[in-house]
PDB file of all heavy atoms in Angstrom:
ATOM      1  N   LYS B 285     139.180 -37.709 -92.643  1.00 98.00           N
ATOM      2  CA  LYS B 285     137.837 -37.822 -93.214  1.00 98.00           C
ATOM      3  C   LYS B 285     137.883 -37.386 -94.667  1.00 98.00           C
ATOM      4  O   LYS B 285     138.411 -36.319 -94.981  1.00 98.00           O
ATOM      5  CB  LYS B 285     136.851 -36.923 -92.464  1.00 98.00           C
ATOM      6  CG  LYS B 285     136.595 -37.412 -91.055  1.00 98.00           C
ATOM      7  CD  LYS B 285     135.334 -36.823 -90.462  1.00 98.00           C
ATOM      8  CE  LYS B 285     135.027 -37.510 -89.154  1.00 98.00           C
ATOM      9  NZ  LYS B 285     134.579 -38.907 -89.330  1.00 98.00           N
ATOM     10  N   LEU B 286     137.341 -38.233 -95.549  1.00 98.00           N
ATOM     11  CA  LEU B 286     137.308 -37.907 -96.972  1.00 98.00           C
ATOM     12  C   LEU B 286     135.866 -37.905 -97.462  1.00 98.00           C
ATOM     13  O   LEU B 286     135.068 -38.760 -97.053  1.00 98.00           O
ATOM     14  CB  LEU B 286     138.095 -38.954 -97.769  1.00 98.00           C
ATOM     15  CG  LEU B 286     139.548 -39.211 -97.352  1.00 98.00           C
ATOM     16  CD1 LEU B 286     140.141 -40.330 -98.204  1.00 98.00           C
ATOM     17  CD2 LEU B 286     140.385 -37.949 -97.474  1.00 98.00           C
ATOM     18  N   LYS B 287     135.538 -36.934 -98.311  1.00 98.00           N
ATOM     19  CA  LYS B 287     134.220 -36.912 -98.950  1.00 98.00           C
ATOM     20  C   LYS B 287     134.431 -36.843-100.449  1.00 98.00           C
ATOM     21  O   LYS B 287     135.037 -35.898-100.960  1.00 98.00           O
ATOM     22  CB  LYS B 287     133.415 -35.679 -98.513  1.00 98.00           C
ATOM     23  CG  LYS B 287     132.904 -35.761 -97.099  1.00 98.00           C
ATOM     24  CD  LYS B 287     132.065 -34.528 -96.750  1.00 98.00           C
ATOM     25  CE  LYS B 287     131.988 -34.410 -95.235  1.00 98.00           C
ATOM     26  NZ  LYS B 287     131.340 -33.160 -94.799  1.00 98.00           N
ATOM     27  N   ILE B 288     133.913 -37.864-101.140  1.00 98.00           N
ATOM     28  CA  ILE B 288     134.050 -37.919-102.594  1.00 98.00           C
ATOM     29  C   ILE B 288     132.640 -37.903-103.185  1.00 98.00           C
ATOM     30  O   ILE B 288     131.817 -38.764-102.854  1.00 98.00           O
ATOM     31  CB  ILE B 288     134.805 -39.187-103.018  1.00 98.00           C
ATOM     32  CG1 ILE B 288     136.231 -39.163-102.445  1.00 98.00           C
ATOM     33  CG2 ILE B 288     134.831 -39.326-104.538  1.00 98.00           C
ATOM     34  CD1 ILE B 288     136.989 -40.474-102.558  1.00 98.00           C
ATOM     35  N   ILE B 289     132.351 -36.908-104.008  1.00 97.00           N
ATOM     36  CA  ILE B 289     131.008 -36.779-104.571  1.00 97.00           C
ATOM     37  C   ILE B 289     131.104 -36.840-106.093  1.00 97.00           C
ATOM     38  O   ILE B 289     131.967 -36.188-106.699  1.00 97.00           O
ATOM     39  CB  ILE B 289     130.347 -35.458-104.140  1.00 97.00           C
ATOM     40  CG1 ILE B 289     130.207 -35.436-102.602  1.00 97.00           C
ATOM     41  CG2 ILE B 289     128.965 -35.282-104.788  1.00 97.00           C
ATOM     42  CD1 ILE B 289     129.682 -34.137-102.039  1.00 97.00           C
ATOM     43  N   GLY B 290     130.199 -37.631-106.701  1.00 95.00           N
ATOM     44  CA  GLY B 290     130.168 -37.726-108.165  1.00 95.00           C
ATOM     45  C   GLY B 290     129.135 -38.746-108.590  1.00 95.00           C
ATOM     46  O   GLY B 290     128.756 -39.628-107.797  1.00 95.00           O
ATOM     47  N   GLU B 291     128.657 -38.615-109.809  1.00 91.00           N
ATOM     48  CA  GLU B 291     127.656 -39.549-110.348  1.00 91.00           C
ATOM     49  C   GLU B 291     126.529 -39.785-109.346  1.00 91.00           C
ATOM     50  O   GLU B 291     126.086 -40.915-109.109  1.00 91.00           O
ATOM     51  CB  GLU B 291     128.335 -40.875-110.725  1.00 91.00           C
ATOM     52  CG  GLU B 291     129.342 -40.690-111.848  1.00 91.00           C
ATOM     53  CD  GLU B 291     130.072 -41.984-112.215  1.00 91.00           C
ATOM     54  OE1 GLU B 291     129.787 -43.027-111.595  1.00 91.00           O
ATOM     55  OE2 GLU B 291     130.925 -41.928-113.130  1.00 91.00           O
ATOM     56  N   GLU B 292     126.097 -38.685-108.723  1.00 90.00           N
ATOM     57  CA  GLU B 292     124.989 -38.707-107.753  1.00 90.00           C
ATOM     58  C   GLU B 292     125.216 -39.656-106.571  1.00 90.00           C
ATOM     59  O   GLU B 292     124.278 -40.133-105.942  1.00 90.00           O
ATOM     60  CB  GLU B 292     123.658 -39.006-108.462  1.00 90.00           C
ATOM     61  CG  GLU B 292     123.292 -37.829-109.364  1.00 90.00           C
ATOM     62  CD  GLU B 292     122.046 -38.054-110.194  1.00 90.00           C
ATOM     63  OE1 GLU B 292     121.403 -39.099-110.021  1.00 90.00           O
ATOM     64  OE2 GLU B 292     121.741 -37.172-111.011  1.00 90.00           O
ATOM     65  N   LYS B 293     126.506 -39.907-106.310  1.00 94.00           N
ATOM     66  CA  LYS B 293     126.841 -40.702-105.134  1.00 94.00           C
ATOM     67  C   LYS B 293     127.693 -39.854-104.200  1.00 94.00           C
ATOM     68  O   LYS B 293     128.384 -38.931-104.638  1.00 94.00           O
ATOM     69  CB  LYS B 293     127.673 -41.935-105.541  1.00 94.00           C
ATOM     70  CG  LYS B 293     126.843 -43.098-106.053  1.00 94.00           C
ATOM     71  CD  LYS B 293     127.732 -44.324-106.260  1.00 94.00           C
ATOM     72  CE  LYS B 293     128.733 -44.070-107.407  1.00 94.00           C
ATOM     73  NZ  LYS B 293     129.398 -45.318-107.861  1.00 94.00           N
ATOM     74  N   LYS B 294     127.642 -40.176-102.927  1.00 96.00           N
ATOM     75  CA  LYS B 294     128.537 -39.532-101.964  1.00 96.00           C
ATOM     76  C   LYS B 294     129.246 -40.649-101.209  1.00 96.00           C
ATOM     77  O   LYS B 294     128.614 -41.448-100.525  1.00 96.00           O
ATOM     78  CB  LYS B 294     127.724 -38.667-101.015  1.00 96.00           C
ATOM     79  CG  LYS B 294     128.562 -37.888-100.025  1.00 96.00           C
ATOM     80  CD  LYS B 294     127.677 -36.916 -99.240  1.00 96.00           C
ATOM     81  CE  LYS B 294     128.440 -36.220 -98.143  1.00 96.00           C
ATOM     82  NZ  LYS B 294     127.572 -35.279 -97.405  1.00 96.00           N
ATOM     83  N   ILE B 295     130.555 -40.725-101.384  1.00 97.00           N
ATOM     84  CA  ILE B 295     131.331 -41.758-100.708  1.00 97.00           C
ATOM     85  C   ILE B 295     132.142 -41.096 -99.604  1.00 97.00           C
ATOM     86  O   ILE B 295     132.848 -40.113 -99.845  1.00 97.00           O
ATOM     87  CB  ILE B 295     132.283 -42.464-101.699  1.00 97.00           C
ATOM     88  CG1 ILE B 295     131.482 -43.021-102.881  1.00 97.00           C
ATOM     89  CG2 ILE B 295     133.065 -43.576-101.003  1.00 97.00           C
ATOM     90  CD1 ILE B 295     132.353 -43.448-104.048  1.00 97.00           C
ATOM     91  N   GLU B 296     132.023 -41.620 -98.395  1.00 97.00           N
ATOM     92  CA  GLU B 296     132.789 -41.044 -97.293  1.00 97.00           C
ATOM     93  C   GLU B 296     133.711 -42.090 -96.675  1.00 97.00           C
ATOM     94  O   GLU B 296     133.326 -43.253 -96.510  1.00 97.00           O
ATOM     95  CB  GLU B 296     131.847 -40.488 -96.222  1.00 97.00           C
ATOM     96  CG  GLU B 296     130.998 -39.337 -96.736  1.00 97.00           C
ATOM     97  CD  GLU B 296     130.340 -38.557 -95.595  1.00 97.00           C
ATOM     98  OE1 GLU B 296     130.282 -39.085 -94.467  1.00 97.00           O
ATOM     99  OE2 GLU B 296     129.908 -37.430 -95.852  1.00 97.00           O
ATOM    100  N   TYR B 297     134.901 -41.663 -96.342  1.00 97.00           N
ATOM    101  CA  TYR B 297     135.850 -42.522 -95.634  1.00 97.00           C
ATOM    102  C   TYR B 297     136.194 -41.856 -94.306  1.00 97.00           C
ATOM    103  O   TYR B 297     136.296 -40.631 -94.226  1.00 97.00           O
ATOM    104  CB  TYR B 297     137.134 -42.710 -96.440  1.00 97.00           C
ATOM    105  CG  TYR B 297     136.996 -43.654 -97.602  1.00 97.00           C
ATOM    106  CD1 TYR B 297     136.605 -43.192 -98.853  1.00 97.00           C
ATOM    107  CD2 TYR B 297     137.268 -45.011 -97.433  1.00 97.00           C
ATOM    108  CE1 TYR B 297     136.481 -44.065 -99.919  1.00 97.00           C
ATOM    109  CE2 TYR B 297     137.147 -45.887 -98.503  1.00 97.00           C
ATOM    110  CZ  TYR B 297     136.749 -45.414 -99.737  1.00 97.00           C
ATOM    111  OH  TYR B 297     136.633 -46.282-100.779  1.00 97.00           O
ATOM    112  N   SER B 298     136.402 -42.685 -93.311  1.00 97.00           N
ATOM    113  CA  SER B 298     136.742 -42.148 -92.010  1.00 97.00           C
ATOM    114  C   SER B 298     137.780 -43.041 -91.338  1.00 97.00           C
ATOM    115  O   SER B 298     137.607 -44.260 -91.259  1.00 97.00           O
ATOM    116  CB  SER B 298     135.468 -42.088 -91.163  1.00 97.00           C
ATOM    117  OG  SER B 298     135.758 -41.497 -89.931  1.00 97.00           O
ATOM    118  N   LEU B 299     138.845 -42.444 -90.927  1.00 97.00           N
ATOM    119  CA  LEU B 299     139.898 -43.179 -90.209  1.00 97.00           C
ATOM    120  C   LEU B 299     140.082 -42.516 -88.856  1.00 97.00           C
ATOM    121  O   LEU B 299     140.127 -41.289 -88.745  1.00 97.00           O
ATOM    122  CB  LEU B 299     141.197 -43.106 -91.019  1.00 97.00           C
ATOM    123  CG  LEU B 299     142.479 -43.736 -90.443  1.00 97.00           C
ATOM    124  CD1 LEU B 299     143.431 -44.076 -91.581  1.00 97.00           C
ATOM    125  CD2 LEU B 299     143.187 -42.817 -89.462  1.00 97.00           C
ATOM    126  N   PHE B 300     140.140 -43.329 -87.817  1.00 97.00           N
ATOM    127  CA  PHE B 300     140.417 -42.802 -86.478  1.00 97.00           C
ATOM    128  C   PHE B 300     141.380 -43.762 -85.797  1.00 97.00           C
ATOM    129  O   PHE B 300     141.040 -44.913 -85.541  1.00 97.00           O
ATOM    130  CB  PHE B 300     139.119 -42.670 -85.669  1.00 97.00           C
ATOM    131  CG  PHE B 300     139.346 -42.159 -84.273  1.00 97.00           C
ATOM    132  CD1 PHE B 300     139.778 -40.856 -84.060  1.00 97.00           C
ATOM    133  CD2 PHE B 300     139.141 -42.975 -83.170  1.00 97.00           C
ATOM    134  CE1 PHE B 300     140.001 -40.376 -82.772  1.00 97.00           C
ATOM    135  CE2 PHE B 300     139.368 -42.504 -81.876  1.00 97.00           C
ATOM    136  CZ  PHE B 300     139.792 -41.199 -81.686  1.00 97.00           C
ATOM    137  N   ASP B 301     142.582 -43.308 -85.570  1.00 97.00           N
ATOM    138  CA  ASP B 301     143.607 -44.191 -85.013  1.00 97.00           C
ATOM    139  C   ASP B 301     144.213 -43.571 -83.760  1.00 97.00           C
ATOM    140  O   ASP B 301     144.427 -42.359 -83.697  1.00 97.00           O
ATOM    141  CB  ASP B 301     144.708 -44.430 -86.060  1.00 97.00           C
ATOM    142  CG  ASP B 301     145.634 -45.560 -85.633  1.00 97.00           C
ATOM    143  OD1 ASP B 301     145.139 -46.691 -85.443  1.00 97.00           O
ATOM    144  OD2 ASP B 301     146.842 -45.309 -85.456  1.00 97.00           O
ATOM    145  N   LYS B 302     144.490 -44.424 -82.780  1.00 96.00           N
ATOM    146  CA  LYS B 302     145.000 -43.932 -81.505  1.00 96.00           C
ATOM    147  C   LYS B 302     146.410 -44.452 -81.209  1.00 96.00           C
ATOM    148  O   LYS B 302     146.853 -45.455 -81.760  1.00 96.00           O
ATOM    149  CB  LYS B 302     144.063 -44.371 -80.370  1.00 96.00           C
ATOM    150  CG  LYS B 302     142.840 -43.476 -80.263  1.00 96.00           C
ATOM    151  CD  LYS B 302     141.660 -44.111 -79.571  1.00 96.00           C
ATOM    152  CE  LYS B 302     141.776 -44.359 -78.112  1.00 96.00           C
ATOM    153  NZ  LYS B 302     140.441 -44.677 -77.521  1.00 96.00           N
ATOM    154  N   TYR B 303     147.088 -43.727 -80.352  1.00 95.00           N
ATOM    155  CA  TYR B 303     148.398 -44.131 -79.826  1.00 95.00           C
ATOM    156  C   TYR B 303     148.353 -45.596 -79.388  1.00 95.00           C
ATOM    157  O   TYR B 303     147.437 -46.016 -78.695  1.00 95.00           O
ATOM    158  CB  TYR B 303     148.708 -43.238 -78.623  1.00 95.00           C
ATOM    159  CG  TYR B 303     149.995 -43.552 -77.906  1.00 95.00           C
ATOM    160  CD1 TYR B 303     151.221 -43.191 -78.454  1.00 95.00           C
ATOM    161  CD2 TYR B 303     149.989 -44.173 -76.660  1.00 95.00           C
ATOM    162  CE1 TYR B 303     152.408 -43.453 -77.779  1.00 95.00           C
ATOM    163  CE2 TYR B 303     151.171 -44.440 -75.982  1.00 95.00           C
ATOM    164  CZ  TYR B 303     152.380 -44.079 -76.550  1.00 95.00           C
ATOM    165  OH  TYR B 303     153.548 -44.341 -75.886  1.00 95.00           O
ATOM    166  N   ASP B 304     149.347 -46.382 -79.815  1.00 94.00           N
ATOM    167  CA  ASP B 304     149.414 -47.798 -79.448  1.00 94.00           C
ATOM    168  C   ASP B 304     150.269 -47.944 -78.192  1.00 94.00           C
ATOM    169  O   ASP B 304     151.502 -47.840 -78.239  1.00 94.00           O
ATOM    170  CB  ASP B 304     150.031 -48.583 -80.620  1.00 94.00           C
ATOM    171  CG  ASP B 304     150.055 -50.083 -80.324  1.00 94.00           C
ATOM    172  OD1 ASP B 304     149.972 -50.470 -79.131  1.00 94.00           O
ATOM    173  OD2 ASP B 304     150.161 -50.860 -81.281  1.00 94.00           O
ATOM    174  N   LYS B 305     149.584 -48.158 -77.055  1.00 92.00           N
ATOM    175  CA  LYS B 305     150.305 -48.211 -75.779  1.00 92.00           C
ATOM    176  C   LYS B 305     151.278 -49.383 -75.714  1.00 92.00           C
ATOM    177  O   LYS B 305     152.343 -49.279 -75.129  1.00 92.00           O
ATOM    178  CB  LYS B 305     149.308 -48.340 -74.616  1.00 92.00           C
ATOM    179  CG  LYS B 305     148.536 -47.063 -74.342  1.00 92.00           C
ATOM    180  CD  LYS B 305     147.615 -47.239 -73.141  1.00 92.00           C
ATOM    181  CE  LYS B 305     146.369 -46.379 -73.303  1.00 92.00           C
ATOM    182  NZ  LYS B 305     145.425 -46.519 -72.203  1.00 92.00           N
ATOM    183  N   SER B 306     150.872 -50.530 -76.316  1.00 92.00           N
ATOM    184  CA  SER B 306     151.699 -51.733 -76.165  1.00 92.00           C
ATOM    185  C   SER B 306     153.058 -51.559 -76.847  1.00 92.00           C
ATOM    186  O   SER B 306     154.077 -51.969 -76.308  1.00 92.00           O
ATOM    187  CB  SER B 306     150.965 -52.952 -76.722  1.00 92.00           C
ATOM    188  OG  SER B 306     150.733 -52.772 -78.104  1.00 92.00           O
ATOM    189  N   THR B 307     153.072 -50.923 -78.024  1.00 90.00           N
ATOM    190  CA  THR B 307     154.357 -50.738 -78.724  1.00 90.00           C
ATOM    191  C   THR B 307     154.873 -49.310 -78.575  1.00 90.00           C
ATOM    192  O   THR B 307     155.909 -48.964 -79.135  1.00 90.00           O
ATOM    193  CB  THR B 307     154.216 -51.056 -80.221  1.00 90.00           C
ATOM    194  OG1 THR B 307     153.276 -50.125 -80.784  1.00 90.00           O
ATOM    195  CG2 THR B 307     153.705 -52.469 -80.450  1.00 90.00           C
ATOM    196  N   ARG B 308     154.117 -48.461 -77.871  1.00 90.00           N
ATOM    197  CA  ARG B 308     154.486 -47.046 -77.695  1.00 90.00           C
ATOM    198  C   ARG B 308     154.709 -46.379 -79.058  1.00 90.00           C
ATOM    199  O   ARG B 308     155.675 -45.644 -79.261  1.00 90.00           O
ATOM    200  CB  ARG B 308     155.741 -46.914 -76.828  1.00 90.00           C
ATOM    201  CG  ARG B 308     155.548 -47.495 -75.432  1.00 90.00           C
ATOM    202  CD  ARG B 308     156.732 -47.222 -74.505  1.00 90.00           C
ATOM    203  NE  ARG B 308     156.280 -46.914 -73.169  1.00 90.00           N
ATOM    204  CZ  ARG B 308     156.386 -45.724 -72.593  1.00 90.00           C
ATOM    205  NH1 ARG B 308     156.955 -44.744 -73.226  1.00 90.00           N
ATOM    206  NH2 ARG B 308     155.927 -45.524 -71.381  1.00 90.00           N
ATOM    207  N   THR B 309     153.794 -46.667 -79.976  1.00 92.00           N
ATOM    208  CA  THR B 309     153.889 -46.070 -81.309  1.00 92.00           C
ATOM    209  C   THR B 309     152.733 -45.095 -81.491  1.00 92.00           C
ATOM    210  O   THR B 309     151.577 -45.441 -81.260  1.00 92.00           O
ATOM    211  CB  THR B 309     153.822 -47.159 -82.396  1.00 92.00           C
ATOM    212  OG1 THR B 309     154.753 -48.181 -82.070  1.00 92.00           O
ATOM    213  CG2 THR B 309     154.144 -46.596 -83.770  1.00 92.00           C
TER     214      THR B 309
END
Side-chain angles (χ1 to χ4, degrees):
Chain B
K285 291 198 171 290
L286 305 177
K287 287 182 200 173
I288 297 168
I289 298 175
E291 296 178 0
E292 292 176 4
K293 278 187 293 193
K294 183 173 174 180
I295 304 167
E296 296 195 343
Y297 284 89
S298 184
L299 177 156
F300 179 68
D301 192 60
K302 280 158 70 166
Y303 177 75
D304 183 340
K305 287 183 211 179
S306 62
T307 62
R308 299 187 141 248
T309 310

